[in-house]
Amino acid sequence: MLAVLRREEKYLLTLGEALQCAARFEKILMPDNFSKNGSYKIRSLYFDTADDRDFHDKLTEQNCRQKIRLRIYSPGDSRVKLELKQKENVYQKKRTLLITRADAQALAEGRYSVLLNYGGPFAGEMFVLLTEGCYRPKTIVEYSRRAFMAKENNIRLTFDSDIRALEGTRSLFSPVLPLYPVLSGDQVVFEVKYNQFLLGYITDLIRCVDRRSVSASKYCLGRSLSYPFLN
């Protein structure tokens, strides 16, 4: 189990602004391990309760809230990330458990007992949370990411574009999905992720982002068919 505690700030940019910022970053920062050949795909299957409690907690900006998801980088992946993201005030805690493809499909079908095979407190916690909360798959969100990193303070700067979604599906591993766009083609979600504080030269780098941070949850964007008022 991997645990990360950090702060996250999000900004909505135009494609032109994102390209301008990325051109500055690549002169100073390293691409992350997945971005060495450019952008890469991310696909996540999000879970929520029957009454969409996590969704509404995000919309109403509750100080303590959470998200549960399965994450892959290709439909052919044999290992899948089961992630629990919990926010308390300004800090995000993300815990990750690597599970098999077969067990990920079992979770998508509501068979949560497979988690008991992993042992450890986090797997047990996730079994109880998913079972007692009556969690079910809600939406798949897929997008392209280009990311930069600085080793100091575990800083990551990410650009997410072509964000698309599909509701009411468990087909996490389907090679082709009828996804629909949730933002205009000219919009990019830029995220700054760091531990406790930003280093001075990183702050200077992101001055190209001349706007206030926004709440741009990709999970909430993915629910736009059920909740059209989000658009």
Side-chain angles (χ1 to χ4, degrees), residues 201-228:
Y201 80 97
I202 300 292
T203 300
D204 291 338
L205 272 179
I206 64 174
R207 292 192 192 281
C208 59
V209 181
D210 185 21
R211 62 197 65 213
R212 294 181 179 179
S213 61
V214 298
S215 178
S217 164
K218 286 183 279 291
Y219 168 53
C220 288
L221 290 172
R223 302 300 308 277
S224 57
L225 278 184
S226 292
Y227 297 91

Side-chain angles (χ1 to χ4, degrees), residues 169-187:
T169 180
R170 301 173 180 179
S171 305
L172 179 63
F173 300 106
S174 176
V176 179
L177 289 172
L179 301 161
Y180 60 90
V182 297
L183 289 175
S184 75
D186 190 45
Q187 290 181 303

Side-chain angles (χ1 to χ4, degrees), residues 8-28:
E8 296 183 1
E9 297 174 3
K10 299 181 181 182
Y11 304 85
L12 200 58
L13 308 181
T14 66
L15 180 59
E17 290 169 334
L19 291 173
Q20 182 182 28
C21 289
R24 295 184 63 188
F25 297 165
E26 64 185 0
K27 295 177 182 178
I28 299 175

Side-chain angles (χ1 to χ4, degrees), residues 48-53 133-136 138 227:
D48 209 333
T49 62
D51 59 354
D52 291 334
R53 182 183 62 211
C134 296
Y135 275 80
R136 294 294 182 268
K138 295 290 182 169
Y227 297 91

Side-chain angles (χ1 to χ4, degrees), residues 80-148:
V80 180
K81 292 180 177 179
L82 171 62
E83 297 184 328
L84 172 63
K85 291 187 71 175
Q86 296 168 301
K87 183 167 185 179
E88 186 170 349
N89 297 318
V90 298
Y91 287 100
Q92 294 264 11
K93 181 179 182 180
K94 182 174 74 172
R95 287 180 285 168
T96 303
L97 177 69
L98 278 177
I99 63 175
T100 67
R101 179 188 181 96
D103 287 344
Q105 186 60 44
L107 295 184
E109 295 169 1
R111 294 184 281 118
Y112 303 138
S113 60
V114 296
L115 291 172
L116 300 178
N117 297 325
Y118 287 86
F122 180 58
E125 178 184 345
M126 290 303 297
F127 169 74
V128 172
L129 184 61
L130 288 165
T131 303
E132 292 188 351
C134 296
Y135 275 80
R136 294 294 182 268
K138 295 290 182 169
T139 187
I140 285 177
V141 179
E142 183 177 287
Y143 51 92
S144 295
R145 168 167 287 179
R146 188 178 182 190
F148 299 89

